[in-house]
């Protein structure tokens, strides 16, 4: 059973940066697909960024060019570097892990393990 704990959220001004961190425990996650999702009030949870293995990654259109996902398998840690934040990035952000197949369709329902979330607010 995998436990995921996010940190790094906060309140920032538009144009500023944040780095989210997700620490995994309970199982080796180096072979898992991992991703970041976010959910704004009144909206459905949406995918932001995904990473399979150590370097195969992709980002959703609204964040492409501004966000970068990475992982350190030795530390069982997932990161999301967020640059040039915009008010529309305001959301609760969640770390998720699943089997490698999760990175194929990348829907929330494809991921098995979830963190508790960390809030990002951009004004």
């Amino acid at each position: 059973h995998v436990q995921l704990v996010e940190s790094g959220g906060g309140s920032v001004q538009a144009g500023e940066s944040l780095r989210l961190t997700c620490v995994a425990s309970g199982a080796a996650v180096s072979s898992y697909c991992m991703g970041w999702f976010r959910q704004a009030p009144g909206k459905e949870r949406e995918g932001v960024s995904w990473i399979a293995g150590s370097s195969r990654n992709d980002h959703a259109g609204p964040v492409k060019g501004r966000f970068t996902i990475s992982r350190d398998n030795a530390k069982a840690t997932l990161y999301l570097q967020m640059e040039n934040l915009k008010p529309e990035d305001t959301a609760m952000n969640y770390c998720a892990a699943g089997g490698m197949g999760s990175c194929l369709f990348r829907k929330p329902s494809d991921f098995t393990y979830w963190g508790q979330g960390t809030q990002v607010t951009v004004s």
Side-chain angles (χ1 to χ4, degrees):
H1 185 74
V2 177
Q3 293 86 43
L4 303 172
V5 179
E6 305 98 330
S7 62
S11 296
V12 298
Q13 298 289 319
E16 294 184 342
S17 303
L18 281 173
R19 187 174 81 156
L20 304 185
T21 298
C22 171
V23 178
S25 62
V29 295
S30 57
S31 62
Y32 282 52
C33 168
M34 298 194 74
W36 288 98
F37 291 79
R38 66 186 182 185
Q39 188 166 17
K43 294 188 177 182
E44 292 188 355
R45 190 168 298 191
E46 63 176 6
V48 176
S49 302
W50 308 268
I51 185 166
S54 60
S55 61
R56 288 177 292 154
N57 61 69
D58 198 8
H59 302 80
V63 308
K64 196 164 288 189
R66 299 188 297 122
F67 291 11
T68 303
I69 189 172
S70 62
R71 67 196 295 174
D72 184 335
N73 287 329
K75 297 181 179 179
T77 301
L78 180 73
Y79 303 99
L80 184 68
Q81 180 67 41
M82 305 185 292
E83 306 283 349
N84 190 22
L85 282 160
K86 303 176 180 181
E88 51 264 42
D89 294 319
T90 294
M92 182 70 77
N93 286 258
Y94 299 91
C95 170
M100 274 302 175
S102 303
C103 275
L104 181 61
F105 295 107
R106 308 168 182 176
K107 301 188 305 297
S109 58
D110 294 323
F111 289 78
T112 305
Y113 304 105
W114 291 86
Q116 81 290 348
T118 184
Q119 177 69 35
V120 171
T121 302
V122 186
S123 59

